[in-house]
Each structure stands twice: as structure tokens, then as C-alpha cells.
Amino acid sequence: MSVIRALHSQLLAKERSAEEIAREYLERLTQLEPQLKSFITITEELALQQARAVDARIRAGEAIGPLAGIPLAVKDNLCTQGIRTTCASRMLEGFIPPYESTVTARLAAAGMVTVGKTNLDEFAMGSSTENSAFQRTANPWDLTRVPGGSSGGSAAAVAADQAVVALGSDTGGSIRQPAAFCGVVGLKPTYGLVSRYGLVAFASSLDQVGPFGRTVEDVALLLQGIAGHDPMDSTSLKVRIPDYSQALIPEIKGFKIGVIRELLGEGCGEETRAAVQAAIQHLQELGAEILEIDCPSFRYGLATYYIIAPSEASANLARYDGVKYGLREPADSLLSMYGKTRAHGFGPEVKRRIMIGTYALSSGYYDAYYLKAQKVRTLIKQDFLRAFEKVDVLVSPTTPTPAFKIGEREDPLSMYLCDLMTIPVNLAGLPGLSLPCGFADGLPIGLQIVGNALQESKVLRVAYAYEQSTDWHRQRPPLEKPKESAPAQPKAKSKSGKGSKKSKG
Amino acid sequence: MLKREEVQHVAHLARLELTEEEEIQFTEQLADILAYVEQLKELDTEGVEPTFHVLDMELPTRPDEVELYPDIEGILANAPDRADRFFKVPRILEGED
């Protein structure tokens, strides 16, 4: 059952107050934090204040929506007024936004309880959250492994019950890939469905905000809270937002589901392929018709992305110049101040991408790189459009392999390969969801479901039907559960925590 | 092959002061990444329109009206250096006092 629904009915029945729920989550969050490091900032005071406001409304007999009183974690590249927003970068270490992002403002208005700001790869550039300037987040399923990235803190927080749901952002897979690695559900909505006002820009033609949850229903409910037109975002779509709960029907008889042949072939790990093939079989048993689909230009997705995203990033990150906010390194000339500020403020991966992007956009190279990539992008989009003439949704693995070890992938290109399967979806602006579909050696494996533009409901329905007839989402990471009400006792450290049933080093 | 001087030029364009070590490392890594993206040249894109925006949407417009920003202090509070209601920066013009 959806965690949100369960807590909501407890609130309605007055079995528990929002403050009690907030305290329970904050306690677990704090207890697990030394092992996981999912959060850059914990907002305990704000959370309790928001929870008390919900309790006051309940006491006054006011109706509350399903999101009221639900603990939420927010990726630290979404601006929160008066609460520092760092993008996990030294550049913004002390930045206190004077304004609130639209998505967090909407969720606050819906009564959600923000427990903190989560860790990420610096400026959302990375696939392991190792590029954070401040801390390494651990994967709750195996503390020696990465949670994925760039929204690794949000995914780990939800997997470990440090929050019920979380917000992330996805430019090339940054919601779906960590969702797969951490065994939770993550959705990248259609480009333009969710406002990006207050999301720190990385690659503007690709960035999109989206939800994480333990179940498909939790993700649908959080999506409902953030979807919709916003005049403050010029790419925001003016479309009617459906009731996503209506899509949650565990029945997909007659649905046509396409399997992207290219993404199950070479480049996909054995265990992942086996789990995804079993999932496809399962969907067939549920009555779906399975079709094999060729998307020949997908193999160029990664190369296309690694021109477009850095190019746009190099322009977007030009604003960090030490003048109006963020870090400044003192120097006696303006030019030297820029150079030193940016040298000290940015980490290696951000510098690398600024360099690639600046090179690709520099005089004489634009046509060969950026323009060429934008044309290949059209071919990738056409592959999707052709597929959606035949099928309702497409499926593939979310990632080629399960979570890898911290420090294992030092070569940038081997890290980029993590996003092989998620990137084409961003290039085409489509909705994509990852949900758990199996385990390999105690590590979760993710199934990606992709829909045509604005077909979130279809994606959610297929995901829901799969989830309701399997029990992968009921598996919990082998973390030491903090005792409910007993006072904190000396905890047995790492050894006993690691020894429990699932993990095997 | 990417030359070290090209990396220095790009770093200047990007306003990034690189250490010698970074210059060497980036020369190597950028060359690898550029070699990887070379594969796009295999594809014939003659007559293919570039996708600058994934959705067919009209660019929205709004009336150009001046609004007073309510929280000037909130913006200035983030300034690394300020004087009254202004951002303070190092000298821009050369040769003046």
C-alpha cells in the first residue's frame, strides 16, 4: 500500500498527529544519517512547524489533502527561501535563496513537511553522487556502493525511510538511475509538465523535476502535487492535468508494450537482462501484448547527450562569476577574480563539462558538434515516435548494471555509460519511470517504462499493474532499524548491520 | 588530437584558471570524450532538422510590465561584497585612480 495513503488515513482517524509522524521520520533520518549521508541540510524546525500547522487544520475540522503532513525530502538544487541551497558545490555553499521554487511552494501549500535538502552530484552532474563537494552518500542496500546520481540523496532517503517521498531532477537519468540503484520508484515527467522555476539550471533543454517514492501510488500522488502550468517557467506547458490516481488500475489486458531491442543487447549486464526479461514475461502474463521494437539511433544517444548537456551547462554556469552571490576569490582584477572563483568553486566534473561545452560551442566547432548533435536528437525522437505508433509504452532496463562500488568508476566515460538507457528519453522530452523488478546479489534492479509525451497515466498504469502483482517493492534494505520509542542505545556498528540476510559483500 | 594550447584557450573562454596538472588531465580526458562523440559523424543527417525544443509549443509572451522586486535585501544578503545597495567588484577599468 502507498505510504502516503497509509499515513493519510492515520491522520484522518487521529491515530497519530502530523507532528508525531514528523518526529518519527526525523529521528530515523538522524539515526541513519551517519551511515548514509543522504542530506546536506536537515530542516527539523521547519518540518515541525509545518507539521503543527497541519495538526491545527485537522483540529479545526478542516479537510486536508493526501499530501498534508507527509514528510518530504528535497534535492538541494531546488531553491528554498531562507534555507541554504548548495547544489553540493563550494560555489553555493552559503547561498540562501531569496525565493522559493514553484514545486516546493506548491507542496508546502499542500501541507507537506520538508525534512531536509538532499545530497547530489555537484550541479546535478554525475551518476553516483560522488561528485558532491561535501559528502559521499551510501546506498542503503550496501553501504560500500553508490546510490546512483545525480539525485542520490533523494533516492537513498526514500529507500531508507528517512522521508516518505522526495523530489529530484533528471537531465539524463538523474531520477531513474538512482531510483533503480536504491530500489525505489522514480519518475521523470514529460518536459514542460512540471515547473522548473527555482530549479538551478544545468541543461535547460533536458532538465525536468520529478518525484521519488516507495510505491507507484506515492509517485503518482507527488506528481499530482507538482504538475501543472506555471507562468514563471516559459517552457511550462498549458495542459489539463489528469487525476493520476485514476490511472492506478492493476489491469493491462490488451496493452501493447514495446521492448527496445537495442537496450537489451550488448552493454547490458547479464543479471539485469535476466531480471528485465522476466519482468517482460510477467507483463505478458498480465495480458499485455509484447512487441520487439528497433530504435537504431539510440546507440548514438550518449554521444549526443555529451555534446548537448555540457554545451548548455557551460552557458548556464557562466553566471557563477563571484559578483552577485556564491563564492568569490579575491583578486585585483575582474578577469582574475572570475578565473580564480570558478577554479575554486567548481569540482573536477563540473569543470570538465564546462570545458567540453565551451569547446563544442566555440568558434568553428558549433556546426560539427552542437548542431550535429541536435540533428541526431531529431533522429532519436523519430525512433520514439515511430515506436509509439505501434505501442502504448516502451520498456527497457533502467541501467546496464546494479549499483557499483564507491570509487570504482574513475574514468569519466565509464561513469557516463550508466546513463546509456535513460538519456534517449530526455533527448526526446518523454516521461520515463523506473521501478524495482528484481535483485542481483542483494542489489535492486530497475525496469524503465517510457511513454509518449504527456502519457504519464499510461506509464503509471503499467507500473502499477506490475507492482501490484509482484513484491519487489516490499523488500527493505538491510539497515539497522532504529527502535521506535526506546531511548537511543549504543548501536552495534557496521559488522552486524552488514551481516543481515540480503547483502553479501 | 587535442592540443594543450587548445585546452588553455578553452579554459580562458570559460574563465577557468586551471592548474598545470588540470591542463594535462583535461587534455587527455577531453580528447577521449571528443573521440567518443566522433561516432556521430557516421550518421547521415543531411536534410534532418535540428531539435532545439522537444515540444511543439508556441513561445509564450506576456506584457512587458515593470514590477518592483519585494526583497532587495534578500538578494544583496548573498553578495560576496557590497556597498549600500550595490554589488562591489574589483577594478574594471585600467589606468585610472
Side-chain angles (χ1 to χ4, degrees):
Chain A
M1 185 188 186
S2 143
V3 187
I4 292 178
R5 291 276 186 219
L7 292 172
H8 183 63
S9 40
Q10 288 174 0
L11 284 170
L12 289 185
K14 302 205 165 83
E15 284 164 26
R16 275 206 290 177
S17 68
E19 184 173 345
E20 281 166 344
I21 293 170
R23 284 191 189 281
E24 182 202 309
Y25 272 86
L26 284 164
E27 192 189 341
R28 182 159 45 219
L29 187 164
T30 316
Q31 276 182 323
L32 292 174
E33 205 42 20
Q35 313 172 57
L36 294 176
K37 298 195 176 67
S38 322
F39 288 82
I40 291 175
T41 304
I42 300 170
T43 53
E44 178 164 1
E45 225 173 283
L46 170 70
L48 292 174
Q49 184 192 322
Q50 288 173 324
R52 286 186 202 115
V54 171
D55 286 332
R57 282 168 57 194
I58 296 173
R59 271 198 307 277
E62 284 176 42
I64 55 161
L67 295 178
I70 304 298
L72 167 78
V74 176
K75 188 178 183 180
D76 206 22
N77 61 350
L78 284 161
C79 286
T80 40
Q81 188 169 16
I83 295 162
R84 76 178 182 142
T85 299
T86 68
C87 289
S89 179
R90 300 239 170 272
M91 189 63 88
L92 292 178
E93 195 165 0
F95 175 58
I96 314 273
Y99 70 107
E100 183 83 15
S101 76
T102 297
V103 284
T104 50
R106 284 188 184 174
L107 296 180
M112 290 201 86
V113 170
T114 304
V115 293
K117 304 289 298 283
T118 56
N119 197 24
L120 63 150
D121 286 298
E122 183 177 6
F123 284 103
M125 297 180 193
S127 311
S128 67
T129 311
E130 290 168 293
N131 294 334
S132 166
F134 307 131
Q135 62 204 37
R136 306 275 162 276
T137 298
N139 188 315
W141 294 88
D142 178 347
L143 300 177
T144 67
R145 289 177 190 267
V146 303
S150 67
S151 314
S154 288
V158 170
D161 283 320
Q162 292 179 298
V164 174
V165 284
L167 288 176
S169 66
D170 190 317
T171 304
S174 281
I175 290 174
R176 290 158 289 157
Q177 188 256 18
F181 277 15
C182 291
V184 297
V185 185
L187 171 70
K188 181 205 93 75
T190 303
Y191 185 82
L193 182 69
V194 176
S195 168
R196 302 183 297 176
Y197 178 68
L199 170 70
V200 177
F202 159 17
S204 301
S205 77
L206 302 162
D207 298 339
Q208 183 61 198
V209 177
F212 284 97
R214 262 171 51 191
T215 68
V216 174
E217 188 169 10
D218 290 316
V219 159
L221 288 166
L222 193 59
L223 177 66
Q224 199 79 55
I226 56 176
H229 181 252
D230 176 16
M232 298 301 279
D233 175 357
S234 66
T235 58
S236 163
L237 293 169
K238 277 187 183 151
V239 291
R240 200 186 62 82
I241 304 302
D243 179 352
Y244 295 112
S245 306
Q246 301 274 322
L248 304 178
I249 304 162
E251 214 276 325
I252 51 166
K253 229 172 235 124
F255 262 61
K256 292 198 169 101
I257 296 179
V259 177
I260 307 171
R261 207 201 302 260
E262 283 77 6
L263 299 185
L264 270 175
E266 93 180 276
C268 180
E270 272 310 318
E271 291 157 322
T272 299
R273 185 184 300 127
V276 169
Q277 273 166 345
I280 292 165
Q281 171 107 41
H282 184 86
L283 290 168
Q284 191 167 25
E285 281 156 17
L286 292 176
E289 188 187 331
I290 306 294
L291 288 87
E292 287 219 329
I293 298 287
D294 283 308
C295 295
S297 43
F298 278 24
R299 55 181 291 228
Y300 300 100
L302 202 61
T304 305
Y305 179 85
Y306 276 97
I307 293 170
I308 293 172
S311 296
E312 295 179 7
S314 71
N316 272 328
L317 272 64
R319 72 190 66 176
Y320 303 104
D321 57 6
V323 173
K324 296 191 288 294
Y325 55 92
L327 182 78
R328 173 188 295 187
E329 288 294 334
D332 44 17
S333 80
L334 195 63
L335 199 61
S336 152
M337 183 195 88
Y338 292 154
K340 285 188 178 16
T341 297
R342 292 163 65 77
H344 296 148
F346 294 138
E349 181 61 23
V350 173
K351 287 183 190 173
R352 195 152 38 235
R353 296 206 194 183
I354 290 175
M355 291 289 290
I356 300 168
T358 307
Y359 179 84
L361 293 177
S362 66
S363 163
Y365 292 109
Y366 176 84
D367 283 5
Y369 290 107
Y370 193 72
L371 191 65
K372 179 76 182 182
Q374 295 286 44
K375 288 179 178 175
V376 179
R377 186 175 187 177
T378 303
L379 298 178
I380 290 168
K381 197 179 153 185
Q382 286 169 351
D383 276 358
F384 273 120
L385 292 180
R386 262 193 302 275
F388 287 121
E389 282 169 11
K390 294 186 216 130
V391 299
D392 293 293
V393 297
L394 291 163
V395 296
S396 77
T398 307
T399 57
T401 65
F404 47 89
K405 294 260 187 198
I406 291 170
E408 187 184 301
R409 300 206 178 180
E410 287 193 337
D411 166 50
L413 267 172
S414 78
M415 186 68 88
Y416 297 171
L417 284 170
C418 298
D419 297 329
L420 188 71
M421 296 160 169
T422 46
I423 275 174
V425 180
N426 298 76
L427 290 171
L430 304 176
L433 176 146
S434 178
L435 86 164
C437 74
F439 287 85
D441 291 335
L443 299 172
I445 294 171
L447 174 71
Q448 178 174 238
I449 305 174
V450 182
N452 207 346
L454 296 171
Q455 301 278 305
E456 274 78 6
S457 291
K458 268 189 192 173
V459 171
L460 288 166
R461 178 159 172 180
V462 174
Y464 187 72
Y466 179 83
E467 177 193 67
Q468 292 304 302
S469 54
T470 54
D471 63 0
W472 306 117
H473 65 287
R474 292 199 185 88
Q475 315 255 5
R476 310 303 307 138
L479 288 163
E480 246 176 283
K481 269 277 171 66
K483 298 257 170 359
E484 280 286 321
S485 52
Q489 7 177 303
K491 276 189 296 182
K493 269 258 141 147
S494 56
K495 268 191 199 135
S496 68
K498 292 253 343 137
S500 59
K501 54 187 186 302
K502 280 241 143 330
S503 78
K504 80 163 228 226
Chain B
M1 207 59 214
L2 194 70
K3 290 202 265 315
R4 176 106 172 253
E5 299 78 70
E6 288 181 277
V7 167
Q8 288 167 341
H9 172 64
V10 171
H12 172 72
L13 291 177
R15 301 291 183 264
L16 276 173
E17 267 191 26
L18 298 184
T19 62
E20 199 169 325
E21 203 182 314
E22 282 176 319
E23 275 178 14
I24 296 167
Q25 204 190 24
F26 283 157
T27 306
E28 210 173 289
Q29 290 174 336
L30 261 58
D32 281 353
I33 295 165
L34 291 172
Y36 179 79
V37 303
E38 280 300 299
Q39 57 174 291
L40 294 187
K41 295 204 171 136
E42 296 167 10
L43 272 174
D44 183 8
T45 49
E46 191 65 40
V48 176
E49 285 295 313
T51 296
F52 288 109
H53 199 298
V54 287
L55 304 166
D56 299 316
M57 66 180 283
E58 266 179 54
L59 290 175
T61 57
R62 59 168 171 77
D64 189 15
E65 284 161 357
V66 177
E67 279 175 60
L68 204 60
Y69 187 77
D71 187 17
I72 292 168
E73 188 48 41
I75 290 177
L76 283 162
N78 279 298
D81 197 5
R82 62 183 280 195
D84 301 324
R85 297 179 68 208
F86 300 98
F87 297 105
K88 219 169 142 183
V89 292
R91 173 199 294 273
I92 296 174
L93 301 173
E94 300 289 328
E96 280 178 40
D97 230 36

